[in-house]
Amino acid sequence: MSAIRLLVLGAVRLRKRAHGYQVRNDLEFWGAQEWSNAKPGSIYHALKQLAKQGLLLAHDVAPSTVGGPPRTEYELTDEGEAEFHRMLRHALTAIDEKPDVLTSGVGFLVDLERAEAIALLKERVAALEAWRAEVSEHWTPGPPGESQPEWDYIGEIMRLWVSTADSGATWARALIERLENGAYVMADEGKRDLSVLTQDGPDDPGTS
């Protein structure tokens, strides 16, 4: 799964209707260019591809105030809404994706109802525990220093996997606990303050 698809759909969904420069500006405001492939070129490309696939509806609007061709504004179609939620659920449960996929999913966590978010995170914990058990039982060598020349330093890879699974499960359990204790305003709990998630910059210089 590509994180850029989830990020772009989520950014457009947040604004209801947005042009490319707004999406780019919001993703840069979140720092997404530092932890994902959300670079300007990939953002505009994703917008156009998602529109071709019927996940976004494109509207040509008035030209940019600084000149240039008409901007294109986008909004999610029903298919786009379904795809956003499918990718969000996948991002929160899949343990074999790149880190930017999970990071993107956490960024849109509050777009789920509380009960579903908790259930998905519990699913993630269960998958991490199962993976840890498999690695520990079948692949991980004994404690460092034991005479196991056949493993040599390669055993450190398995220890890394176990440590990563442990830390990931610890984080997810802590988030579950916070959600169970009422942290954050979730999708089924009324209006949320979205001002911290968008940043209106100067008018689009003509790219859409």
Side-chain angles (χ1 to χ4, degrees), residues 46-169:
L47 284 165
K48 292 175 182 178
Q49 288 299 113
L50 291 166
K52 286 182 181 179
Q53 294 165 8
L55 303 178
L56 292 175
L57 183 61
H59 303 273
D60 285 336
V61 296
S64 169
T65 57
V66 295
R71 288 188 312 211
T72 301
E73 287 189 345
Y74 300 89
E75 63 178 319
L76 266 66
T77 62
D78 291 342
E79 292 80 4
E81 182 75 15
E83 179 67 2
F84 167 77
H85 280 93
R86 185 197 70 79
M87 289 192 294
L88 175 54
R89 293 174 182 120
H90 176 79
L92 293 173
T93 55
I95 63 171
D96 57 351
E97 293 281 7
K98 294 180 179 179
D100 62 345
V101 171
L102 175 59
T103 304
S104 302
V106 174
F108 296 115
L109 178 71
V110 295
D111 290 312
L112 296 169
E113 294 186 358
R114 186 174 300 275
E116 181 178 15
I118 291 171
L120 291 171
L121 289 166
K122 287 182 176 179
E123 185 177 336
R124 181 176 193 86
V125 170
L128 287 168
E129 289 175 339
W131 168 242
R132 186 199 193 286
E134 181 179 349
V135 173
S136 298
E137 180 178 357
H138 298 293
W139 299 339
T140 304
E146 289 189 358
S147 179
Q148 294 177 304
E150 70 278 12
W151 282 97
D152 199 13
Y153 67 91
I154 300 302
E156 297 301 336
I157 295 174
M158 289 68 178
R159 295 187 185 98
L160 171 62
W161 289 349
V162 168
S163 177
T164 300
D166 285 343
S167 62

Side-chain angles (χ1 to χ4, degrees), residues 15 19 21-22 25-26 29 71 198-205:
R15 286 183 175 268
H19 58 75
Y21 188 71
Q22 287 174 317
N25 207 43
D26 287 347
F29 183 53
R71 288 188 312 211
T198 61
Q199 176 173 308
D200 290 315
D203 195 17
D204 186 342

Side-chain angles (χ1 to χ4, degrees), residues 114 118 175-186 189:
R114 186 174 300 275
I118 291 171
L175 178 52
I176 289 169
E177 182 177 0
R178 288 192 290 275
L179 290 172
E180 289 176 335
N181 289 334
Y184 316 121
V185 178
M186 306 298 287
E189 297 171 353

